[in-house]
């Protein structure tokens, strides 16, 4: 990728952006033509088979975030999102972090979790003993239920049990839960896991004398974690009247508030997921699963807390860390069907699942840095409202060059609203 072709990407017209991507070697001539002429909407015949009762397509803007350096490799990040300022913020943060060496990531073994939940188990301790004694047989039966994943090097790898204690006050009985840890290779693996759970449930019923109530994957992917870290020298944080050390300390203090206060943590984490969700959607993965798993991970201490952490190292640098459970895939589902997802994969340089996790968690940390930095310095509205002005101009009916002209006037107006935008547009016409 020739990043020199992407300089001041945000200032280019749509045609110039597409041309720059082609000249940089990110997309082909055919893909450039698709973006400029045909667009990325699903063919009705494809949409009809993806969901029930299909009546049309609902589009989101697809953009690219620039400046990312992840594990010493430059990457252009596709993001599908309707919210103004997210892509700009990610690119801004990535530029600062990239100038300091970029993001370093670590990804655990990619193991998805399947659950068989048993009710009416009379002797739970004895049932656990029987399950653990039969672990190898259970794993073999799970793999027999989906032999194709075993041929590709994946399959069920280990087993554990959990007891959900009875709660007399709520009238809840005790349940015994069997977890299987499953390597689904490049797939997110929901269908693989569900098939395996249904395959082993009858045998586990025989072993325990209980009745299988649930046989399904868990989207709480605690065996599939990705961590991103960045280190930013304090002098790179200086802005306006704030010294770099002031900005560093204020970011750390804001992170401490988000760790202690669930009300702040929710918004703090929402900012992280702004970036993560946008890439997950662009790549054709299940953003609802990623959201649910990430928020559960934020509450793993039994209090909902910030997902990211920021501190100063011995050299006085600002250090950020983010860990997320990221059960994503690069094959299956809509990934190979949706034209937008296929193009996103191309822009990402055809990553495997682990590399995609590294990109996602890095984008989340960049988004968090940008948001918290803005909050503790100029305030979040300065950049956000600038982009919001464009949305108001479009809503007022502005087109082409009119959009920027109306937006610029709105930024100077005492009241930025739709009526003001209409008034400015009327003056132009």
């Amino acid at each position: 990728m020739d990043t020199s072709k992407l300089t001041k990407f945000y200032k280019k017209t749509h045609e110039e952006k597409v041309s720059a991507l082609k000249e940089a070697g990110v997309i082909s001539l055919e893909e450039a033509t698709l973006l400029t002429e045909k667009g990325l909407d699903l063919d009705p015949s494809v949409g009809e088979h993806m969901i029930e009762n299909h009546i049309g397509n609902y589009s989101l803007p697809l953009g690219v975030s620039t400046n990312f350096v992840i594990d010493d490799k430059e990457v252009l990040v596709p993001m599908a999102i309707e919210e103004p300022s997210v892509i700009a913020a990610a690119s801004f943060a990535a530029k600062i972090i990239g100038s300091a060496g970029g993001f370093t990531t670590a990804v655990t073994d990619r193991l998805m979790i399947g659950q068989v939940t048993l009710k009416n188990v009379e002797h739970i301790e004895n049932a656990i003993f029987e399950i653990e004694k039969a672990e190898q047989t259970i794993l073999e039966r799970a793999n027999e239920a989906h032999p194709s994943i075993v041929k590709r090097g994946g399959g069920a790898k280990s087993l554990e049990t959990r007891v959900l204690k009875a709660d007399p006050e709520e009238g809840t009985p005790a349940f015994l839960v069997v977890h299987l840890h499953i390597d689904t290779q490049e797939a997110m693996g929901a269908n693989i896991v569900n098939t395996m759970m249904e395959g082993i449930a009858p045998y586990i019923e025989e072993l325990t004398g209980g009745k299988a109530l649930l046989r399904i994957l868990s989207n709480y992917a605690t065996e599939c974690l990705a961590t991103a870290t960045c280190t930013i020298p304090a002098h790179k944080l200086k802005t306006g009247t704030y010294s770099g050390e002031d900005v560093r300390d204020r970011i750390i203090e804001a992170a401490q508030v988000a760790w202690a206060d669930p009300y702040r943590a929710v918004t703090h984490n929402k900012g992280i997921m702004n970036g993560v969700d946008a890439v997950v959607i662009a790549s054709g993965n299940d953003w609802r699963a990623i959201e649910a798993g990430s928020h559960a991970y934020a509450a793993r201490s039994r209090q909902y807390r910030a997902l990211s952490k920021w501190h100063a190292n011995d050299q006085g640098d600002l250090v950020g860390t983010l860990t997320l459970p990221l059960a994503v895939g690069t094959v299956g589902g809509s990934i190979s069907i949706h034209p937008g997802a296929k193009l996103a994969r191309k822009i990402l340089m055809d990553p495997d699942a682990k590399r995609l996790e590294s990109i996602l968690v890095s984008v989340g940390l960049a988004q968090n840095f940008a948001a918290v930095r803005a909050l503790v310095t100029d305030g979040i509205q300065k950049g956000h409202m600038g982009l919001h002005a464009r949305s108001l101009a479009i809503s007022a009916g502005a087109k082409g060059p009119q959009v920027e002209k109306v937006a610029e006037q709105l930024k100077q107006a005492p009241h930025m609203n739709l009526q003001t935008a209409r008034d400015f547009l009327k003056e132009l016409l």
Side-chain angles (χ1 to χ4, degrees), residues 71-124:
D71 297 322
D72 297 322
K73 293 181 181 178
E74 293 180 319
V75 59
L76 202 61
V77 183
M79 303 174 77
I81 189 166
E82 85 297 344
E83 184 173 333
S85 79
V86 168
I87 293 177
S91 299
F92 170 78
K95 186 174 184 178
I96 293 175
I97 295 168
S99 71
F103 300 89
T104 301
T105 71
V107 179
T108 64
D109 289 337
R110 281 176 43 80
L111 296 175
M112 306 306 156
I113 297 173
Q115 294 182 299
V116 174
T117 304
L118 299 154
K119 66 176 185 176
N120 301 333
V121 180
E122 292 187 9
H123 305 289
I124 286 182

Side-chain angles (χ1 to χ4, degrees), residues 363-407:
V363 171
L365 187 56
Q367 208 77 52
N368 181 235
F369 168 72
V372 177
R373 177 188 175 278
L375 278 172
V376 300
T377 55
D378 296 329
I380 203 75
Q381 287 297 81
K382 183 178 179 181
H384 184 80
M385 293 307 290
L387 289 167
H388 180 56
R390 295 182 192 172
S391 296
L392 284 173
I394 294 169
S395 297
K399 296 179 181 179
Q402 297 170 346
V403 174
E404 288 300 329
K405 290 179 181 179
V406 173

Side-chain angles (χ1 to χ4, degrees), residues 1 18 21 24 33-34 89 99 121 138 151 177-178 181 200 202 250 290 305 317 327 345 347 366 375 387 400 421:
M1 182 171 62
V18 173
L21 290 175
T33 302
L34 180 67
S99 71
V121 180
I138 294 171
K151 290 179 181 178
V177 186
V178 180
H181 298 154
I200 65 172
R250 290 168 73 87
I290 300 302
R305 298 186 184 277
D317 305 323
R345 180 174 172 78
I347 292 171
L375 278 172
L387 289 167

Side-chain angles (χ1 to χ4, degrees), residues 117-412:
T117 304
L118 299 154
K119 66 176 185 176
N120 301 333
V121 180
E122 292 187 9
H123 305 289
I124 286 182
E125 293 301 323
N126 184 62
I128 292 173
F129 175 79
E130 294 296 331
I131 290 168
E132 291 177 347
K133 187 171 69 173
E135 177 175 356
Q136 192 57 42
T137 302
I138 294 171
L139 296 177
E140 289 171 359
R141 293 198 177 200
N143 288 329
E144 287 170 2
H146 211 297
S148 62
I149 195 65
V150 179
K151 290 179 181 178
R152 297 198 295 273
K157 300 298 183 182
S158 62
L159 171 154
E160 69 177 5
T161 58
R162 296 171 54 238
V163 178
L164 306 181
K165 295 181 180 180
D167 187 342
E169 290 186 7
E170 294 294 328
T172 304
F175 295 96
L176 176 59
V177 186
V178 180
H179 278 200
L180 254 60
H181 298 154
I182 302 165
D183 180 353
T184 57
Q185 297 287 287
E186 288 301 301
M188 181 270 180
N191 291 333
I192 296 169
V193 174
N194 293 343
T195 299
M196 287 186 170
M197 295 307 97
E198 291 176 359
I200 65 172
Y203 180 55
I204 292 178
E205 286 179 328
E206 291 177 19
L207 289 172
T208 63
K211 183 66 177 176
L213 177 65
L214 303 170
R215 303 166 295 278
I216 193 169
L217 87 159
S218 170
N219 287 125
Y220 189 24
T222 53
E223 302 299 314
C224 185
L225 300 175
T227 300
T229 303
C230 67
T231 302
I232 311 169
H235 70 85
K236 291 182 177 291
L237 299 170
K238 184 181 183 301
T239 180
T241 59
Y242 296 95
S243 71
E245 289 75 14
D246 285 341
V247 176
R248 177 199 63 201
D249 294 344
R250 290 168 73 87
I251 288 174
I252 292 169
E253 289 164 350
Q256 291 168 343
V257 172
W259 181 259
D261 178 15
Y263 285 85
R264 171 60 201 145
V266 169
T267 310
H268 181 97
N269 292 341
K270 188 268 182 184
I272 291 170
M273 302 313 292
N274 274 343
V276 174
D277 286 349
V279 185
V280 173
I281 292 169
S283 69
N285 274 279
D286 185 351
W287 63 269
R288 286 89 50 195
I290 300 302
E291 277 275 347
S294 295
H295 292 299
Y297 194 69
R300 65 192 182 279
S301 68
R302 297 192 179 184
Q303 178 182 321
Y304 189 90
R305 298 186 184 277
L307 285 162
S308 63
K309 292 183 178 180
W310 295 92
H311 71 276
N313 64 15
D314 292 339
Q315 290 72 45
D317 305 323
L318 178 67
V319 180
T321 305
L322 173 65
T323 297
L324 294 174
L326 291 170
V328 294
T330 59
V331 297
S334 64
I335 296 169
S336 303
I337 299 173
H338 197 291
K342 291 194 287 186
L343 180 64
R345 180 174 172 78
K346 176 68 177 293
I347 292 171
L348 288 167
M349 297 182 287
D350 295 314
D352 61 15
K354 282 194 171 185
R355 175 63 175 170
L356 182 55
E357 288 180 44
S358 292
I359 292 169
L360 287 167
V361 73
S362 298
V363 171
L365 187 56
Q367 208 77 52
N368 181 235
F369 168 72
V372 177
R373 177 188 175 278
L375 278 172
V376 300
T377 55
D378 296 329
I380 203 75
Q381 287 297 81
K382 183 178 179 181
H384 184 80
M385 293 307 290
L387 289 167
H388 180 56
R390 295 182 192 172
S391 296
L392 284 173
I394 294 169
S395 297
K399 296 179 181 179
Q402 297 170 346
V403 174
E404 288 300 329
K405 290 179 181 179
V406 173
E408 284 302 317
Q409 288 181 289
L410 281 171
K411 292 176 189 178
Q412 309 303 320

